[in-house]
mmCIF file of all heavy atoms in Angstrom:
data_model
loop_
_atom_site.group_PDB
_atom_site.id
_atom_site.type_symbol
_atom_site.label_atom_id
_atom_site.label_comp_id
_atom_site.label_asym_id
_atom_site.label_seq_id
_atom_site.Cartn_x
_atom_site.Cartn_y
_atom_site.Cartn_z
ATOM 1 N N GLY A 8 206.510 61.628 -20.646
ATOM 2 C CA GLY A 8 205.719 62.762 -20.217
ATOM 3 C C GLY A 8 204.932 63.460 -21.299
ATOM 4 O O GLY A 8 204.165 64.389 -21.009
ATOM 5 N N GLY A 9 205.101 63.045 -22.541
ATOM 6 C CA GLY A 9 204.356 63.661 -23.617
ATOM 7 C C GLY A 9 202.894 63.268 -23.585
ATOM 8 O O GLY A 9 202.481 62.381 -22.852
ATOM 9 N N GLY A 10 202.110 63.958 -24.390
ATOM 10 C CA GLY A 10 200.694 63.678 -24.457
ATOM 11 C C GLY A 10 199.931 64.831 -25.058
ATOM 12 O O GLY A 10 200.504 65.714 -25.689
ATOM 13 N N LEU A 11 198.629 64.805 -24.853
ATOM 14 C CA LEU A 11 197.725 65.827 -25.368
ATOM 15 C C LEU A 11 197.434 66.841 -24.275
ATOM 16 O O LEU A 11 197.081 66.473 -23.152
ATOM 17 C CB LEU A 11 196.428 65.189 -25.861
ATOM 18 C CG LEU A 11 195.346 66.130 -26.378
ATOM 19 C CD1 LEU A 11 195.815 66.853 -27.627
ATOM 20 C CD2 LEU A 11 194.071 65.352 -26.653
ATOM 21 N N VAL A 12 197.573 68.113 -24.608
ATOM 22 C CA VAL A 12 197.328 69.176 -23.651
ATOM 23 C C VAL A 12 196.640 70.343 -24.361
ATOM 24 O O VAL A 12 196.895 70.594 -25.541
ATOM 25 C CB VAL A 12 198.643 69.624 -22.977
ATOM 26 C CG1 VAL A 12 199.620 70.177 -24.001
ATOM 27 C CG2 VAL A 12 198.375 70.639 -21.875
ATOM 28 N N LEU A 18 202.859 71.001 -19.301
ATOM 29 C CA LEU A 18 203.307 69.628 -19.462
ATOM 30 C C LEU A 18 204.751 69.547 -18.994
ATOM 31 O O LEU A 18 205.518 70.496 -19.175
ATOM 32 C CB LEU A 18 203.191 69.204 -20.922
ATOM 33 C CG LEU A 18 203.025 67.725 -21.260
ATOM 34 C CD1 LEU A 18 201.729 67.184 -20.673
ATOM 35 C CD2 LEU A 18 203.043 67.535 -22.766
ATOM 36 N N LEU A 20 208.121 67.174 -19.345
ATOM 37 C CA LEU A 20 208.821 66.076 -19.993
ATOM 38 C C LEU A 20 210.027 65.661 -19.168
ATOM 39 O O LEU A 20 210.672 66.490 -18.537
ATOM 40 C CB LEU A 20 209.280 66.471 -21.393
ATOM 41 C CG LEU A 20 208.222 67.022 -22.353
ATOM 42 C CD1 LEU A 20 208.848 67.282 -23.715
ATOM 43 C CD2 LEU A 20 207.042 66.077 -22.459
ATOM 44 N N MET A 83 207.021 72.711 -19.518
ATOM 45 C CA MET A 83 206.397 73.467 -20.593
ATOM 46 C C MET A 83 205.145 74.145 -20.048
ATOM 47 O O MET A 83 204.169 73.478 -19.718
ATOM 48 C CB MET A 83 206.045 72.559 -21.768
ATOM 49 C CG MET A 83 207.218 71.745 -22.288
ATOM 50 S SD MET A 83 206.734 70.427 -23.450
ATOM 51 C CE MET A 83 205.968 71.369 -24.752
ATOM 52 N N VAL A 86 201.572 76.510 -23.082
ATOM 53 C CA VAL A 86 201.844 75.882 -24.372
ATOM 54 C C VAL A 86 200.896 76.414 -25.445
ATOM 55 O O VAL A 86 199.780 76.843 -25.158
ATOM 56 C CB VAL A 86 201.751 74.348 -24.282
ATOM 57 C CG1 VAL A 86 202.837 73.814 -23.357
ATOM 58 C CG2 VAL A 86 200.378 73.906 -23.807
ATOM 59 N N ASP A 90 203.608 74.527 -30.509
ATOM 60 C CA ASP A 90 204.533 73.679 -29.769
ATOM 61 C C ASP A 90 204.351 72.198 -30.092
ATOM 62 O O ASP A 90 205.143 71.371 -29.632
ATOM 63 C CB ASP A 90 204.374 73.885 -28.267
ATOM 64 C CG ASP A 90 204.737 75.294 -27.823
ATOM 65 O OD1 ASP A 90 205.721 75.851 -28.346
ATOM 66 O OD2 ASP A 90 204.042 75.826 -26.942
ATOM 67 N N THR A 91 203.325 71.859 -30.841
ATOM 68 C CA THR A 91 203.082 70.465 -31.200
ATOM 69 C C THR A 91 204.257 69.910 -31.991
ATOM 70 O O THR A 91 204.649 70.465 -33.021
ATOM 71 C CB THR A 91 201.795 70.336 -32.016
ATOM 72 O OG1 THR A 91 200.678 70.720 -31.206
ATOM 73 C CG2 THR A 91 201.594 68.907 -32.493
ATOM 74 N N ALA A 92 204.837 68.817 -31.502
ATOM 75 C CA ALA A 92 206.015 68.226 -32.132
ATOM 76 C C ALA A 92 206.408 66.970 -31.377
ATOM 77 O O ALA A 92 205.899 66.690 -30.288
ATOM 78 C CB ALA A 92 207.185 69.217 -32.136
ATOM 79 N N VAL A 93 207.329 66.223 -31.963
ATOM 80 C CA VAL A 93 208.015 65.164 -31.251
ATOM 81 C C VAL A 93 209.221 65.781 -30.557
ATOM 82 O O VAL A 93 210.076 66.392 -31.207
ATOM 83 C CB VAL A 93 208.456 64.026 -32.194
ATOM 84 C CG1 VAL A 93 209.292 63.003 -31.433
ATOM 85 C CG2 VAL A 93 207.249 63.354 -32.821
ATOM 86 N N TYR A 94 209.285 65.623 -29.255
ATOM 87 C CA TYR A 94 210.361 66.205 -28.458
ATOM 88 C C TYR A 94 211.383 65.131 -28.119
ATOM 89 O O TYR A 94 211.036 64.074 -27.597
ATOM 90 C CB TYR A 94 209.810 66.819 -27.174
ATOM 91 C CG TYR A 94 209.115 68.139 -27.393
ATOM 92 C CD1 TYR A 94 207.877 68.192 -28.023
ATOM 93 C CD2 TYR A 94 209.707 69.333 -26.993
ATOM 94 C CE1 TYR A 94 207.249 69.399 -28.253
ATOM 95 C CE2 TYR A 94 209.085 70.545 -27.206
ATOM 96 C CZ TYR A 94 207.849 70.577 -27.835
ATOM 97 O OH TYR A 94 207.226 71.782 -28.048
ATOM 98 N N THR A 116 209.259 61.859 -27.626
ATOM 99 C CA THR A 116 207.920 61.733 -27.081
ATOM 100 C C THR A 116 207.023 62.784 -27.728
ATOM 101 O O THR A 116 207.420 63.933 -27.911
ATOM 102 C CB THR A 116 207.928 61.868 -25.542
ATOM 103 O OG1 THR A 116 206.615 61.641 -25.023
ATOM 104 C CG2 THR A 116 208.415 63.244 -25.098
ATOM 105 N N GLN A 117 205.820 62.372 -28.086
ATOM 106 C CA GLN A 117 204.903 63.242 -28.814
ATOM 107 C C GLN A 117 204.208 64.208 -27.867
ATOM 108 O O GLN A 117 203.662 63.801 -26.834
ATOM 109 C CB GLN A 117 203.857 62.416 -29.563
ATOM 110 C CG GLN A 117 202.793 63.242 -30.279
ATOM 111 C CD GLN A 117 203.334 63.961 -31.489
ATOM 112 O OE1 GLN A 117 204.037 63.367 -32.301
ATOM 113 N NE2 GLN A 117 203.004 65.245 -31.624
ATOM 114 N N VAL A 118 204.216 65.477 -28.227
ATOM 115 C CA VAL A 118 203.454 66.507 -27.530
ATOM 116 C C VAL A 118 202.477 67.113 -28.529
ATOM 117 O O VAL A 118 202.879 67.595 -29.584
ATOM 118 C CB VAL A 118 204.360 67.600 -26.947
ATOM 119 C CG1 VAL A 118 203.524 68.758 -26.392
ATOM 120 C CG2 VAL A 118 205.258 67.032 -25.866
ATOM 121 N N THR A 119 201.202 67.079 -28.190
ATOM 122 C CA THR A 119 200.165 67.644 -29.038
ATOM 123 C C THR A 119 199.384 68.683 -28.249
ATOM 124 O O THR A 119 198.832 68.371 -27.193
ATOM 125 C CB THR A 119 199.214 66.563 -29.556
ATOM 126 O OG1 THR A 119 199.955 65.569 -30.268
ATOM 127 C CG2 THR A 119 198.178 67.166 -30.490
ATOM 128 N N VAL A 120 199.333 69.894 -28.767
ATOM 129 C CA VAL A 120 198.623 70.987 -28.121
ATOM 130 C C VAL A 120 197.382 71.297 -28.942
ATOM 131 O O VAL A 120 197.484 71.644 -30.125
ATOM 132 C CB VAL A 120 199.505 72.236 -27.983
ATOM 133 C CG1 VAL A 120 198.746 73.349 -27.260
ATOM 134 C CG2 VAL A 120 200.787 71.905 -27.242
#
Side-chain angles (χ1 to χ4, degrees):
L11 177 65
V12 62
L18 206 62
L20 306 183
M83 306 168 60
V86 296
D90 296 320
T91 296
V93 174
Y94 284 72
T116 184
Q117 176 71 47
V118 172
T119 303
V120 182

